[in-house]
Amino acid sequence: MNNPFKRREQILQLLESSDEPISGKQLSQQFDVSRQIIVKDISILKSQNYNIDSTSRGYVVNNVQCGKRYKRVIVCQHDNDRMEEELKLILDNGAMIDDVAIDHPVYGSIKADLMIETYEDLSKFISEMEKFEGQMLAHLTDNLHLHTISAHTEKILDNAVRDLKEHHFIIE
């Protein structure tokens, strides 16, 4: 689509009507433009005060409920080599990883929505990290980071936290 104004309007309509995140790749294929054009379109829409979040699963309009009913913020510390192990422990207990955040000494709080709910989501996230030779956001803060995790019950969160402590991921 050559008209960027119409394309952005249609992107917004798609995001607002979707119950699931829509990846940049899906949008670029649908509109027959590069992924970079979609990134630019999303940035322009954000600058026009549309509440669009970028997650590891794609773009969502901010009014989509993030995560599950019960939430807990945990403080973790580990190196890049243990990232997948940490995230698997959370999923193994039936919880999901809503986000990751750091408190940077210069930039302040930096948060990234992850919305990792399934092993498939985790696999895609790990693949993207490897593909782009990504470092954890926590790389900026001596590997110290926070996760918001969520679940359908408090018991699920308790079990996830217990296992994370047993494997020395949680800082108290």
Side-chain angles (χ1 to χ4, degrees):
M1 171 175 286
N2 291 334
N3 185 325
F5 300 104
K6 286 184 181 179
R7 183 180 57 244
R8 288 180 202 127
E9 183 179 298
Q10 289 178 353
I11 288 170
L12 188 59
Q13 288 172 352
L14 281 172
L15 293 174
E16 288 176 334
S17 65
S18 178
D19 292 333
E20 297 289 324
I22 302 174
S23 73
K25 181 179 179 180
Q26 288 173 296
L27 292 170
S28 68
Q29 289 172 345
Q30 182 164 347
F31 293 102
D32 196 29
V33 296
S34 71
R35 172 81 171 82
Q36 193 57 38
I37 295 292
I38 296 298
V39 170
K40 182 179 176 182
D41 287 342
I42 295 294
S43 295
I44 290 169
L45 288 168
K46 286 179 177 183
S47 75
Q48 296 170 347
N49 293 321
Y50 290 104
N51 292 323
I52 300 171
D53 288 332
S54 303
T55 74
S56 63
R57 293 170 51 196
Y59 298 108
V60 295
V61 174
N62 200 358
N63 60 7
V64 174
Q65 183 179 357
C66 294
K68 298 178 182 173
R69 180 175 179 193
Y70 297 96
K71 297 186 181 294
R72 194 165 304 167
V73 176
I74 55 175
V75 180
C76 300
Q77 189 170 29
H78 59 84
D79 61 18
N80 214 46
D81 294 337
R82 295 192 69 205
M83 176 182 61
E84 186 172 3
E85 178 188 358
E86 172 204 37
L87 300 176
K88 277 184 178 178
L89 278 173
I90 296 167
L91 293 177
D92 287 347
N93 281 284
M96 81 179 275
I97 305 98
D98 294 13
D99 61 40
V100 61
I102 61 168
D103 288 321
H104 191 273
V106 176
Y107 297 116
S109 181
I110 302 172
K111 177 181 150 191
D113 291 325
L114 297 178
M115 304 309 291
I116 299 173
E117 185 174 10
T118 66
Y119 294 105
E120 182 182 351
D121 296 338
L122 177 59
S123 178
K124 287 178 185 175
F125 176 74
I126 297 299
S127 292
E128 291 293 305
M129 288 290 283
E130 290 170 355
K131 178 179 174 183
F132 294 104
E133 298 178 10
Q135 289 289 319
M136 296 185 325
L137 190 57
H139 181 73
L140 299 172
T141 55
D142 195 28
N143 296 322
L144 190 66
H145 58 285
L146 297 94
H147 283 296
T148 303
I149 60 174
S150 63
H152 293 299
T153 68
E154 288 286 346
K155 180 70 174 158
I156 291 171
L157 294 176
D158 291 342
N159 292 341
V161 168
R162 178 202 64 221
D163 286 356
L164 289 166
K165 284 180 183 177
E166 285 177 6
H167 288 85
H168 308 288
F169 285 107
I170 291 190
I171 302 296
E172 296 186 276

